[in-house]
Amino acid sequence: MKINEIKYFDHIVIGSGLAGLTTAWRLGQTGRSVAVLTKREIDNCNSRLAQGGVACVMDALDSFDEHVKDTLTAGAGMCDVGAVRTIVEAGPEAIRELIDLGVKFTTRSDLGIAEDGASYDLGREGGHHTRRILHAGDITGAELERVMVETVRAMPNVKVFEFHCVIDLVVSRRLAIGGPNRCFGAYVLNVATGDIETMLAPTTVIACGGVGKVYLYTSNPDVACGSGIAMAYRAGARISNMEFIQFHPTILHHPTIRSFLISEALRGEGAVLKCRENRDSEPVEFMHKYHPMKSLAPRDVVARAIDSEMKRTGEECVYLDIRHLSEEKLRLRFPNIFNKCLEAGINMAHDLIPVVPAAHFCCGGIQTDVNGASSIQGLYAAGESACTGLHGANRLASNSLLEAIVVPKFIARDIEGKFDALSRQMPPKELALNWTTGNATDSDELILISHNWDEIRRFMWDYVGIYRTNKRLERAKNRIKLIRKEIEKYYWDFIVTADLVELRNIATVAELIIDSSLKRHESRGLNYNADYPYLDPELECVDTVIERDL
Ligand code: SIN
């Protein structure tokens, strides 16, 4: 392993999902140099899998006030009202800018509903009181990612480094520079060569996506290891509200097709949830027992209701029934889901779709203001890695793509005002090149990495999932402490590989989730703890903040 020369840029963006690439595009518009670091291929990200769409006020009958209200209701008293309003109100303009770049949202004429090609079809999802979800069929994330990849690739001043896995941030505390903690870039593992590269820039933006892989069952892809949150925590950033992990209620339940989302947009088109009383009975509706919005209730309510029905009946899944729509209509509106279900032997027009909840979205993350600025100077965060205050204790469906589109604009504006001052504070070269790898030798015990990985994901699912108790959380805490100790020893004793970096990040994030859940002594939004089954009004808007003692 070689420790290479330093590479300098004006801006570093870590992550190449929608938030990362939108940030790179916005920053690159100044003509300055931008490095995008991504641990696999550029489009290997969670954004690409988003089906539902972008929540945005686009209809004359809708209003910012209504969108804000639905967001605050879903957020269960934990949203930052100012951030919510700012992001919601900036939505329509940001959407128009993406349409100008080439994003094609589905129009009503695409669906044969209207002649007028310019009016967009607006879907509905859980917690929204009206239709306000712009979508591109049922592959909205893939369409957005396609356009942003093309856009960024066409910018000569933006350089994308694929298969470059960030190990840690370069921060002043680590370099023993006094004063407030500042970020100068990242130590990066070049996966192809195994070399560690030091990349420096006055500003670094973390947009590494979510944490789904911390759990055994998730809708997220393999890359969702919480790496951005973990590296920011190690660097000393404030991390907030990690107890609020959203479980999507409807992931396809199938022996071989894993992690496939059945979009909430189906329920927006009238699909209802049903459950069998026992193996021989016909499935019947149950959501009326849990919420007046029934199958379109906010996600936390629906996921808990499903969990409780599955435990009550002993059944291994519940069902979605959308048989009131014709095959023709289903193929037009949900082509991707329709085909995937067919692959699983399910024709949605005639059959019930078996579904279960799975980890989907992290509402907490690196604490930032609405401009994406973290508690470390020069370090920003965007998308699922960030906690801007938009989502509170439970994200309203399709608000995350909105945030990923809007906040990068604010980040670029904020950076513009601070860039010169931050540029003057860069550290001397000798200080920045201080990477040490301990006694690096080849490991013949790599099996332990996959074993630790599996163990974490299983106990997080069993003990820190939809239903929590103090005893379960304490058990999880004991286990994660041991595993983290083992990993740190590995980390310093063996050659750093991408797998080891990811395991280390998963373990850090798991502990952050456990510690945050232990700190919240109430049940609110996505955090349900049977030992504190009630909401405590005193804790409204009180963030759970964890900051490493350096
Ligand atoms: C879905 O399509 O159900 C997911 C949308 C989201 O998570 O916002």
Side-chain angles (χ1 to χ4, degrees), residues 214-361:
V214 171
Y215 286 92
L216 190 57
Y217 302 111
T218 175
S219 62
N220 293 186
D222 285 351
V223 289
C225 302
S227 34
I229 297 169
M231 69 181 79
Y233 168 72
R234 286 194 293 270
R238 287 162 73 91
I239 308 294
S240 51
N241 296 344
M242 290 297 291
E243 67 274 35
F244 298 122
I245 302 294
Q246 186 169 71
F247 291 80
H248 195 291
T250 57
I251 307 299
L252 183 66
H253 177 62
H254 189 268
T256 55
I257 301 174
R258 300 236 168 242
S259 305
F260 187 75
L261 189 69
I262 304 293
S263 175
E264 209 165 85
L266 267 77
R267 280 176 278 141
E269 298 302 333
V272 289
L273 284 160
K274 294 186 171 175
C275 179
R276 286 186 205 279
E277 278 301 309
N278 56 58
R279 198 171 295 165
D280 304 320
S281 66
E282 271 302 302
V284 290
E285 290 184 37
F286 59 90
M287 276 307 299
H288 56 280
K289 294 191 279 181
Y290 295 92
H291 198 277
M293 289 178 82
K294 300 181 191 166
S295 291
L296 269 178
R299 242 173 233 181
D300 58 332
V301 178
V302 181
R304 266 197 307 278
I306 294 176
D307 186 62
S308 127
E309 289 295 306
M310 282 167 52
K311 285 194 176 121
R312 186 181 67 77
T313 59
E315 291 292 300
E316 59 183 26
C317 64
V318 297
Y319 300 90
L320 257 182
D321 187 350
I322 194 164
R323 294 176 297 179
H324 64 286
L325 293 186
S326 68
E327 179 164 336
E328 188 193 357
K329 188 148 190 208
L330 287 168
R331 280 184 185 273
L332 204 57
R333 176 65 181 87
F334 301 112
N336 174 46
I337 299 173
F338 194 90
N339 286 333
K340 188 55 101 178
C341 283
L342 272 191
E343 206 183 293
I346 300 156
N347 180 328
M348 289 160 59
H350 306 300
D351 305 319
L352 296 175
I353 310 166
V355 289
V356 285
H360 183 58
F361 190 87

